[in-house]
Amino acid sequence: MTLKSIIPMKDISLKELFSFKKSFSNVTMAILTVVLLALFLAGSVMYFIDGHHAYNISREHPWGLIIAMYVFFVVSSTGLCIMSSIGHVFGIKEFEIIGKRAIIGAIITITTGFIVIALEIGHPVTMIIYNILTPNFSSAIWWMGTLYGAYLGFIIFEFIFLVRENHKWSKFFGLGGLLVGLAAHSNLGAVFGFLIARPIANGVFFPIYFILSAMITGSYLLFLMYGFRYKMDFPEEVKVMLTKLAKILGLLLAILMFFEIWRMLTAIYGGMPGRAEVAWHILGSSNFLIGEVLLGMVIPFIVILASKGTNIKGMVWASILGMIGIFFMRYDLVHDTQVMPLQLLKIREYQLPPTFIEYFPSFAEIGVSIGGIGVCFVMYYLADKFFELDHNKKDM
């Protein structure tokens, strides 16, 4: 039995593998990928030489940029999985064409998330062994890791059956991947929601918010994937799908803005120590106002609202801004959760009163995290070369 007998692949030579049309967008993307890969390799080498000393994390701020990027990648994966399920799981015809491209994107982004987090947790192999030998069923992190492992298995089988045009089994594994992915993703939100010592994160908000923001992320990525694939010259069926996707995205963004307003109001109301101060800090930060709100929500929402979802090219460009905003959402989520010190009172006579904890990622952290996007690009390029990701008449 060969790999090609399990999953149909294209026959391409080494020359074909590295050849592509020398258009401006392709060359720009190639250069960007090489730069990001070099950044990733530099960050990884620094980590292997100095270990965690290469990172600017501390006992007071143990989760840094790499954790934020892990969340960024796995949220992207879940979002793509959810949006693909609209077509081949729930049977909405216009979305049946996105299955293969969305699921391979989901596999690639979660794999990149695992690669990035492996350079943070120190002993990833030991973690896998003891995750099986000594499971902690009361830990949200244990559930998250275990469920994400199962989720990856489901979506790999879903992709294999999609490529084999076996829609009965692809629907079965697609439904399994969707259910397990939702469970895993809400558990990732619970990792923050269960933090009783961190009032700004504690509560039911994050498990729900993670699912909502995953769907928004998946929508942005679909606009980018199809915008790049067709170089803004979309076939009619893709145009119809993206128009409907824009309308769904507009609704999701409106709900997300509604969620954010009430999150801030409930955090500020009553002036609860350790929570209200952090909420005011968030509201005054450019990361939140420009990154999360303006780029991540408002600009894409205005583009959709102004054109009633028909400005597809505008949405592709707005999705670039949207993904930058999503990055700030993940970074702020991790940083703002830890910005308030756990010790709020002075314990010695001449000690300065505790203040917000400052953190800025080191070059190694930036290299591993941002460079991880380059790893993602390479895997997507290879997948596009080896597999037939475009839809055919059977998908329509």
Side-chain angles (χ1 to χ4, degrees):
M1 181 180 289
T2 62
L3 183 60
K4 286 181 72 173
S5 66
I6 299 171
I7 178 167
M9 298 169 71
K10 297 177 192 171
D11 285 317
I12 57 170
S13 63
L14 197 60
K15 184 182 177 184
E16 289 171 328
L17 183 62
F18 292 102
S19 63
F20 54 86
K21 189 179 177 184
K22 303 296 184 295
S23 65
F24 176 76
S25 58
N26 285 348
V27 172
T28 304
M29 185 58 78
I31 294 170
L32 180 64
T33 302
V34 170
V35 171
L36 289 171
L37 268 183
L39 203 58
F40 178 78
L41 289 174
S44 302
V45 169
M46 291 174 76
Y47 169 72
F48 284 120
I49 292 173
D50 295 325
H52 272 104
H53 294 292
Y55 300 157
N56 278 347
I57 53 175
S58 62
R59 287 172 64 87
E60 291 75 25
H61 198 292
W63 291 350
L65 178 61
I66 293 177
I67 298 291
M69 282 306 283
Y70 165 71
V71 176
F72 177 87
F73 284 121
V74 297
V75 169
S76 301
S77 174
T78 312
L80 286 168
C81 178
I82 294 172
M83 299 315 290
S84 76
S85 70
I86 294 175
H88 73 275
V89 174
F90 296 109
I92 297 179
K93 198 167 179 58
E94 292 83 353
F95 287 84
E96 289 181 352
I97 62 175
I98 67 173
K100 284 177 275 191
R101 200 167 287 278
I103 292 301
I104 195 66
I107 294 169
I108 288 169
T109 45
I110 196 167
T111 304
T112 310
F114 287 160
I115 292 171
V116 167
I117 197 71
L119 296 171
E120 159 65 27
I121 54 180
H123 300 281
V125 177
T126 308
M127 181 203 72
I128 294 170
I129 293 169
Y130 283 96
N131 190 61
I132 298 167
L133 294 180
T134 60
N136 181 358
F137 298 118
S138 63
S139 165
I141 290 180
W142 183 86
W143 279 107
M144 177 197 71
T146 305
L147 288 169
Y148 269 131
Y151 163 75
L152 179 59
F154 271 108
I155 59 175
I156 287 174
F157 278 106
E158 181 185 3
F159 180 71
I160 290 172
F161 285 110
L162 276 172
V163 177
R164 292 172 67 96
E165 303 291 348
N166 186 332
H167 293 291
K168 179 185 173 185
W169 282 102
S170 70
K171 185 174 181 180
F172 172 79
F173 283 105
L175 181 61
L178 174 66
L179 295 177
V180 176
L182 287 173
H185 204 54
S186 54
N187 263 280
L188 177 57
V191 169
F192 293 88
F194 284 167
L195 294 175
I196 296 171
R198 306 284 186 178
I200 192 66
N202 182 234
V204 72
F205 178 79
F206 278 126
I208 301 167
Y209 165 84
F210 267 49
I211 301 295
L212 176 62
S213 64
M215 294 173 74
I216 292 170
T217 309
S219 302
Y220 284 150
L221 286 174
L222 284 172
F223 273 108
L224 293 177
M225 290 162 82
Y226 277 94
F228 187 75
R229 166 65 185 87
Y230 292 106
K231 305 290 186 289
M232 301 292 195
D233 185 16
F234 304 103
E236 187 57 32
E237 63 274 12
V238 173
K239 201 180 291 182
V240 170
M241 181 275 292
L242 290 177
T243 303
K244 288 186 183 287
L245 181 64
K247 292 176 180 175
I248 295 172
L249 178 57
L251 174 65
L252 295 173
L253 286 169
I255 297 171
L256 180 61
M257 287 187 270
F258 183 77
F259 271 29
E260 285 289 353
I261 290 169
W262 278 106
R263 179 169 83 106
M264 286 300 147
L265 284 175
T266 52
I268 292 167
Y269 187 80
M272 178 182 173
R275 185 177 184 182
E277 298 101 312
V278 178
W280 282 115
H281 174 78
I282 293 171
L283 286 172
S285 72
S286 56
N287 277 6
F288 178 76
L289 295 174
I290 299 174
E292 289 192 44
V293 177
L294 186 64
L295 302 182
M297 293 181 260
V298 173
I299 292 178
F301 186 70
I302 289 173
V303 173
I304 295 168
L305 209 60
S307 67
K308 297 180 180 176
T310 57
N311 186 358
I312 304 302
K313 293 179 183 176
M315 269 313 299
V316 173
W317 291 110
S319 294
I320 296 174
L321 301 180
M323 286 307 295
I324 295 171
I326 294 291
F327 164 77
F328 280 107
M329 284 183 199
R330 309 307 168 219
Y331 180 79
D332 290 351
L333 164 77
V334 172
H335 175 57
D336 293 337
T337 298
Q338 305 167 90
V339 75
M340 177 63 77
L342 292 175
Q343 180 192 320
L344 296 174
L345 300 174
K346 292 169 60 175
I347 58 172
R348 291 191 301 275
E349 182 64 26
Y350 299 106
Q351 180 185 354
L352 293 172
T355 57
F356 288 136
I357 297 168
E358 294 183 3
Y359 164 79
F360 191 81
S362 66
F363 177 79
E365 286 174 284
I366 293 171
V368 170
S369 304
I370 306 301
I373 298 171
V375 177
C376 210
F377 286 166
V378 170
M379 286 196 279
Y380 184 72
Y381 174 80
L382 294 175
D384 203 33
K385 284 283 184 182
F386 281 106
F387 302 114
E388 183 52 68
L389 300 181
D390 289 333
H391 59 280
N392 54 39
K393 289 183 179 177
K394 290 181 181 177
D395 299 322
M396 296 166 60

